Short mmCIF file of all heavy atoms in Angstrom, two decimals:
data_model
loop_
_atom_site.label_atom_id
_atom_site.label_comp_id
_atom_site.label_asym_id
_atom_site.label_seq_id
_atom_site.Cartn_x
_atom_site.Cartn_y
_atom_site.Cartn_z
N VAL A 33 -6.04 -1.82 3.60
CA VAL A 33 -4.89 -1.41 4.42
C VAL A 33 -3.80 -2.48 4.41
O VAL A 33 -2.62 -2.16 4.47
CB VAL A 33 -5.35 -1.14 5.87
CG1 VAL A 33 -4.17 -0.91 6.79
CG2 VAL A 33 -6.29 0.03 5.91
N PHE A 34 -4.17 -3.74 4.31
CA PHE A 34 -3.22 -4.83 4.53
C PHE A 34 -2.66 -5.39 3.24
O PHE A 34 -3.38 -5.89 2.39
CB PHE A 34 -3.91 -5.96 5.31
CG PHE A 34 -4.48 -5.51 6.61
CD1 PHE A 34 -5.84 -5.31 6.75
CD2 PHE A 34 -3.66 -5.25 7.69
CE1 PHE A 34 -6.38 -4.89 7.96
CE2 PHE A 34 -4.18 -4.82 8.90
CZ PHE A 34 -5.55 -4.64 9.03
N ASP A 35 -1.32 -5.31 3.11
CA ASP A 35 -0.64 -6.08 2.08
C ASP A 35 0.31 -7.03 2.82
O ASP A 35 0.27 -7.12 4.04
CB ASP A 35 0.07 -5.18 1.07
CG ASP A 35 1.15 -4.30 1.66
OD1 ASP A 35 1.59 -4.57 2.79
OD2 ASP A 35 1.57 -3.35 1.00
N LEU A 36 1.15 -7.75 2.11
CA LEU A 36 1.97 -8.77 2.75
C LEU A 36 2.93 -8.24 3.80
O LEU A 36 3.24 -8.93 4.77
CB LEU A 36 2.76 -9.54 1.69
CG LEU A 36 1.92 -10.37 0.72
CD1 LEU A 36 2.83 -11.04 -0.31
CD2 LEU A 36 1.09 -11.41 1.45
N VAL A 37 3.42 -7.02 3.62
CA VAL A 37 4.44 -6.49 4.53
C VAL A 37 3.91 -5.48 5.53
O VAL A 37 4.68 -4.90 6.29
CB VAL A 37 5.64 -5.89 3.76
CG1 VAL A 37 6.34 -6.95 2.96
CG2 VAL A 37 5.18 -4.74 2.88
N THR A 38 2.62 -5.26 5.55
CA THR A 38 2.03 -4.35 6.54
C THR A 38 2.34 -4.88 7.94
O THR A 38 2.18 -6.06 8.21
CB THR A 38 0.51 -4.24 6.35
OG1 THR A 38 0.24 -3.75 5.04
CG2 THR A 38 -0.11 -3.31 7.38
N LEU A 39 2.80 -3.98 8.80
CA LEU A 39 3.12 -4.37 10.17
C LEU A 39 1.89 -4.15 11.05
O LEU A 39 1.27 -3.09 11.01
CB LEU A 39 4.30 -3.56 10.69
CG LEU A 39 5.61 -3.80 9.95
CD1 LEU A 39 6.68 -2.86 10.45
CD2 LEU A 39 6.05 -5.24 10.07
N VAL A 40 1.58 -5.14 11.85
CA VAL A 40 0.40 -5.12 12.72
C VAL A 40 0.87 -5.15 14.17
O VAL A 40 1.75 -5.92 14.53
CB VAL A 40 -0.50 -6.34 12.43
CG1 VAL A 40 -1.69 -6.38 13.36
CG2 VAL A 40 -0.94 -6.35 10.97
N VAL A 41 0.26 -4.29 15.00
CA VAL A 41 0.57 -4.25 16.43
C VAL A 41 -0.74 -4.29 17.20
O VAL A 41 -1.68 -3.56 16.89
CB VAL A 41 1.34 -2.96 16.80
CG1 VAL A 41 1.64 -2.90 18.28
CG2 VAL A 41 2.61 -2.83 15.99
N SER A 42 -0.80 -5.17 18.21
CA SER A 42 -2.02 -5.25 19.00
C SER A 42 -2.10 -4.07 19.96
O SER A 42 -1.10 -3.60 20.47
CB SER A 42 -2.08 -6.58 19.77
OG SER A 42 -0.96 -6.73 20.59
N GLU A 43 -3.31 -3.60 20.17
CA GLU A 43 -3.57 -2.46 21.05
C GLU A 43 -4.19 -2.89 22.38
O GLU A 43 -4.40 -2.07 23.25
CB GLU A 43 -4.50 -1.45 20.36
CG GLU A 43 -3.95 -0.86 19.09
CD GLU A 43 -2.74 0.05 19.33
OE1 GLU A 43 -2.61 0.57 20.45
OE2 GLU A 43 -1.94 0.21 18.40
N CYS A 44 -4.51 -4.19 22.50
CA CYS A 44 -5.12 -4.69 23.73
C CYS A 44 -4.85 -6.19 23.85
O CYS A 44 -4.33 -6.81 22.93
CB CYS A 44 -6.62 -4.42 23.74
SG CYS A 44 -7.53 -5.30 22.46
N GLU A 45 -5.22 -6.72 24.97
CA GLU A 45 -5.09 -8.16 25.22
C GLU A 45 -6.36 -8.86 24.73
O GLU A 45 -7.42 -8.24 24.64
CB GLU A 45 -4.93 -8.41 26.73
CG GLU A 45 -3.64 -7.85 27.30
CD GLU A 45 -2.41 -8.58 26.78
OE1 GLU A 45 -2.47 -9.83 26.64
OE2 GLU A 45 -1.41 -7.91 26.49
N PRO A 46 -6.27 -10.16 24.43
CA PRO A 46 -7.47 -10.91 24.05
C PRO A 46 -8.49 -10.92 25.20
O PRO A 46 -8.11 -10.87 26.37
CB PRO A 46 -6.95 -12.32 23.79
CG PRO A 46 -5.49 -12.18 23.59
CD PRO A 46 -5.06 -10.98 24.36
N THR A 47 -9.75 -10.97 24.84
CA THR A 47 -10.81 -11.02 25.85
C THR A 47 -11.48 -12.39 25.81
O THR A 47 -11.49 -13.07 24.78
CB THR A 47 -11.86 -9.93 25.59
OG1 THR A 47 -12.39 -10.10 24.26
CG2 THR A 47 -11.26 -8.55 25.70
N PRO A 48 -12.06 -12.81 26.93
CA PRO A 48 -12.77 -14.10 26.95
C PRO A 48 -13.91 -14.11 25.93
O PRO A 48 -14.59 -13.11 25.72
CB PRO A 48 -13.33 -14.18 28.38
CG PRO A 48 -12.47 -13.25 29.18
CD PRO A 48 -12.06 -12.17 28.24
N GLY A 49 -14.07 -15.24 25.27
CA GLY A 49 -15.13 -15.39 24.29
C GLY A 49 -14.76 -14.94 22.90
O GLY A 49 -15.54 -15.08 21.96
N MET A 50 -13.56 -14.40 22.74
CA MET A 50 -13.10 -13.93 21.44
C MET A 50 -12.77 -15.13 20.55
O MET A 50 -12.35 -16.18 21.04
CB MET A 50 -11.85 -13.06 21.66
CG MET A 50 -11.23 -12.51 20.42
SD MET A 50 -9.77 -11.50 20.82
CE MET A 50 -10.57 -9.96 21.15
N GLN A 51 -12.97 -14.98 19.26
CA GLN A 51 -12.62 -16.01 18.30
C GLN A 51 -11.14 -16.37 18.49
O GLN A 51 -10.29 -15.50 18.66
CB GLN A 51 -12.87 -15.48 16.88
CG GLN A 51 -12.66 -16.49 15.79
CD GLN A 51 -13.04 -15.91 14.43
OE1 GLN A 51 -13.82 -14.98 14.33
NE2 GLN A 51 -12.48 -16.48 13.38
N SER A 52 -10.82 -17.66 18.49
CA SER A 52 -9.46 -18.10 18.82
C SER A 52 -8.41 -17.53 17.89
O SER A 52 -7.30 -17.20 18.32
CB SER A 52 -9.38 -19.63 18.84
OG SER A 52 -9.64 -20.15 17.56
N GLU A 53 -8.72 -17.38 16.61
CA GLU A 53 -7.75 -16.79 15.66
C GLU A 53 -7.49 -15.33 15.98
O GLU A 53 -6.35 -14.87 15.90
CB GLU A 53 -8.24 -16.95 14.22
CG GLU A 53 -8.19 -18.35 13.69
CD GLU A 53 -9.34 -19.22 14.16
OE1 GLU A 53 -10.30 -18.69 14.76
OE2 GLU A 53 -9.28 -20.44 13.94
N HIS A 54 -8.53 -14.60 16.37
CA HIS A 54 -8.36 -13.20 16.78
C HIS A 54 -7.46 -13.12 18.01
O HIS A 54 -6.57 -12.27 18.09
CB HIS A 54 -9.70 -12.54 17.06
CG HIS A 54 -10.48 -12.21 15.84
ND1 HIS A 54 -11.84 -12.06 15.86
CD2 HIS A 54 -10.12 -11.99 14.55
CE1 HIS A 54 -12.29 -11.76 14.65
NE2 HIS A 54 -11.24 -11.72 13.84
N ALA A 55 -7.71 -13.99 18.98
CA ALA A 55 -6.91 -13.99 20.21
C ALA A 55 -5.45 -14.32 19.90
O ALA A 55 -4.53 -13.69 20.44
CB ALA A 55 -7.48 -15.00 21.21
N THR A 56 -5.22 -15.27 19.02
CA THR A 56 -3.85 -15.63 18.64
C THR A 56 -3.15 -14.46 17.97
O THR A 56 -1.98 -14.17 18.25
CB THR A 56 -3.86 -16.85 17.70
OG1 THR A 56 -4.50 -17.94 18.37
CG2 THR A 56 -2.46 -17.25 17.29
N ILE A 57 -3.85 -13.77 17.09
CA ILE A 57 -3.28 -12.59 16.41
C ILE A 57 -2.90 -11.53 17.44
O ILE A 57 -1.80 -10.97 17.38
CB ILE A 57 -4.26 -12.02 15.37
CG1 ILE A 57 -4.39 -12.99 14.19
CG2 ILE A 57 -3.80 -10.65 14.89
CD1 ILE A 57 -5.51 -12.65 13.23
N LEU A 58 -3.77 -11.25 18.39
CA LEU A 58 -3.48 -10.23 19.40
C LEU A 58 -2.26 -10.60 20.24
O LEU A 58 -1.43 -9.75 20.55
CB LEU A 58 -4.69 -9.99 20.29
CG LEU A 58 -5.88 -9.29 19.63
CD1 LEU A 58 -7.04 -9.19 20.61
CD2 LEU A 58 -5.49 -7.93 19.10
N ARG A 59 -2.15 -11.88 20.58
CA ARG A 59 -0.99 -12.31 21.38
C ARG A 59 0.30 -12.22 20.58
O ARG A 59 1.32 -11.77 21.09
CB ARG A 59 -1.19 -13.74 21.89
CG ARG A 59 -2.08 -13.81 23.12
CD ARG A 59 -2.04 -15.18 23.76
NE ARG A 59 -2.63 -16.23 22.94
CZ ARG A 59 -3.94 -16.49 22.89
NH1 ARG A 59 -4.78 -15.79 23.61
NH2 ARG A 59 -4.39 -17.45 22.12
N MET A 60 0.28 -12.63 19.33
CA MET A 60 1.52 -12.65 18.56
C MET A 60 1.94 -11.26 18.07
O MET A 60 3.08 -11.06 17.69
CB MET A 60 1.45 -13.65 17.40
CG MET A 60 0.56 -13.25 16.26
SD MET A 60 0.42 -14.51 14.99
CE MET A 60 2.06 -14.55 14.34
N CYS A 61 1.02 -10.30 18.09
CA CYS A 61 1.33 -8.96 17.59
C CYS A 61 1.64 -7.97 18.71
O CYS A 61 1.46 -6.77 18.54
CB CYS A 61 0.19 -8.44 16.72
SG CYS A 61 0.04 -9.36 15.19
N ALA A 62 2.10 -8.48 19.83
CA ALA A 62 2.55 -7.57 20.90
C ALA A 62 3.69 -6.71 20.36
O ALA A 62 3.83 -5.55 20.73
CB ALA A 62 2.98 -8.37 22.11
N LEU A 63 4.49 -7.28 19.49
CA LEU A 63 5.53 -6.56 18.75
C LEU A 63 5.10 -6.50 17.29
O LEU A 63 4.35 -7.37 16.83
CB LEU A 63 6.87 -7.28 18.87
CG LEU A 63 7.44 -7.39 20.30
CD1 LEU A 63 8.66 -8.28 20.31
CD2 LEU A 63 7.76 -6.02 20.84
N PRO A 64 5.56 -5.52 16.53
CA PRO A 64 5.14 -5.43 15.12
C PRO A 64 5.41 -6.73 14.36
O PRO A 64 6.50 -7.29 14.43
CB PRO A 64 6.00 -4.29 14.57
CG PRO A 64 6.33 -3.46 15.76
CD PRO A 64 6.45 -4.42 16.90
N THR A 65 4.38 -7.20 13.68
CA THR A 65 4.46 -8.47 12.95
C THR A 65 3.84 -8.27 11.57
O THR A 65 2.77 -7.68 11.44
CB THR A 65 3.68 -9.57 13.70
OG1 THR A 65 4.15 -9.61 15.06
CG2 THR A 65 3.89 -10.92 13.08
N ALA A 66 4.51 -8.78 10.54
CA ALA A 66 4.02 -8.64 9.17
C ALA A 66 2.83 -9.58 8.92
O ALA A 66 2.74 -10.66 9.51
CB ALA A 66 5.13 -8.95 8.17
#
Side-chain angles (χ1 to χ4, degrees):
V33 172
F34 303 103
D35 62 16
L36 294 178
V37 296
T38 301
L39 296 175
V40 177
V41 179
S42 57
E43 299 293 336
C44 65
E45 294 292 320
T47 57
M50 179 180 275
Q51 185 175 336
S52 64
E53 288 79 10
H54 285 157
T56 302
I57 291 169
L58 290 177
R59 279 192 293 277
M60 72 184 293
C61 292
L63 297 172
T65 308

